[in-house]
Amino acid sequence: MLLKDYLREAIKESGFSEVDIQKTPTGTRVGLHVTRPGIVIGRKGSGIRDLTKVLEKDFALKNPQISVIEIPRPELEPSVMCNRMSQHLARGTAFRRAVMWTLQTIMEAGAMGVQITISGKLRGERSSFEKHSKGVLPRAGYQAGVIVSEDIAHVETKMGLIGVRIRIAKKEKYIPEFELKGRKAAPKVVAVSVEEKEITEVEILDESQIDPTKPRTESEVIEIEEKLIEKVETFEDVEEELK
C-alpha cells in the first residue's frame, strides 16, 4: 500500500495504474503498469536506476528488477481514470462536469458499463454523495468479481476532502450470462523489461521523432480535456434552459 501511494506521486506523469510484486530466489520482480513507459524508463534508463535505488533503500526490496508494462487502453483502467478525475477536481472543475466527461470517455473506449461515486463536501458545508451509472454493470455475486474492476482516489479541494470511486465492467472479461455478439479478441499487453545490464541500450526518442499533436504526459492530457469538459452539458444546464 505504501509503495503504491509513493508510485502514484513519483511517476504520476506516466499514467501509473498498478504495481505487481513477485518474490524470486534471485530478487524481487516489480511490474509497473503505466500508459507512457518512456517517462518511467528515462533517458538511457536513468529513471529506472533511480527508482531501483529507492525501492531497495526505502522499501527494503531485495535486488528489485523493474519491468515497465504499457497499458493499451488507459480509459478502461479505473486507477488511471480516478487519477485524471481527481486532477480535474483539484484544478477547480465542477464535479458534475468531471463526472459526465469521465462517464462518456470510459463508455466510448468500449466499456460494458461504468459507475462513478463521488462523495465529500461537494456543494456546501454538509457532506453528500452522488452515484452516476451508464451501461450494464453487475453489482453483486460472482459476475461482479470477474467482470468489474474498481479503484478509489482522494483529492483535497478548497471545500474539503473529496473521494472518487470508479467501477468499470469490461467486455473482455465476460462470462456466459453476459456473452456479447461480435466480441473482438483482447489486445496483448506489450512489456518493456529493463534490467541492469540492458540499461545502456534503452534510449528515449528524439524530439523530432515525437508527434507534437499527441500529449506526452498526464498533465498535457488534463489540459486538453479541460477545454472539452467546458462543453459538457449537465443537469443544471438543462434545468436553466427549461426555466
Side-chain angles (χ1 to χ4, degrees), residues 197-241:
K197 59 182 179 181
E198 299 176 352
I199 284 179
T200 56
E201 301 176 4
V202 179
E203 293 186 8
I204 300 301
L205 296 175
D206 297 333
E207 294 293 333
S208 60
Q209 296 176 302
I210 298 176
D211 189 354
T213 61
K214 294 183 179 180
R216 290 180 291 177
T217 63
E218 284 295 300
S219 296
E220 293 181 6
V221 173
I222 298 302
E223 291 176 2
I224 294 173
E225 288 184 349
E226 278 187 344
K227 299 177 182 179
L228 300 174
I229 288 178
E230 295 176 359
K231 302 177 183 179
V232 176
E233 191 175 44
T234 63
F235 301 121
E236 296 167 347
D237 298 333
V238 175
E239 189 177 340
E240 288 294 329
E241 291 179 2

Side-chain angles (χ1 to χ4, degrees), residues 12-105:
K12 179 172 61 176
E13 293 297 337
S14 66
F16 171 73
S17 174
E18 60 180 339
V19 56
D20 295 330
I21 300 178
Q22 296 179 354
K23 296 293 181 70
T24 64
T26 58
T28 308
R29 292 181 181 177
V30 181
L32 303 178
H33 297 257
V34 298
T35 59
R36 294 170 177 81
I39 298 178
V40 180
I41 296 172
R43 188 174 295 277
K44 295 185 178 180
S46 59
I48 290 290
R49 278 195 294 267
D50 296 340
L51 193 57
T52 299
K53 293 178 182 177
V54 173
L55 298 183
E56 192 170 11
K57 181 179 178 182
D58 297 344
F59 294 93
L61 296 183
K62 180 183 176 183
N63 189 22
Q65 301 170 359
I66 300 176
S67 63
V68 184
I69 305 169
E70 183 177 5
I71 302 172
R73 289 187 293 176
E75 291 80 11
L76 296 182
E77 292 296 327
S79 54
V80 175
M81 298 310 295
C82 275
N83 292 336
R84 290 184 181 179
M85 186 171 167
S86 63
Q87 290 187 53
H88 284 303
L89 296 175
R91 289 170 175 254
T93 303
F95 73 92
R96 280 183 181 164
R97 289 186 184 273
V99 169
M100 294 302 171
W101 170 259
T102 306
L103 279 173
Q104 178 182 339
T105 303

Side-chain angles (χ1 to χ4, degrees), residues 157-188:
T157 64
K158 294 181 179 179
M159 297 292 294
L161 191 65
I162 293 179
V164 178
R165 179 189 183 190
I166 298 181
R167 307 179 73 219
I168 300 176
K170 299 181 181 179
K171 295 179 181 178
E172 289 78 13
K173 296 184 178 180
Y174 76 97
I175 53 179
E177 289 84 352
F178 289 86
E179 184 174 358
L180 304 175
K181 295 182 179 180
R183 190 181 68 90
K184 297 181 180 180
K188 296 181 179 180

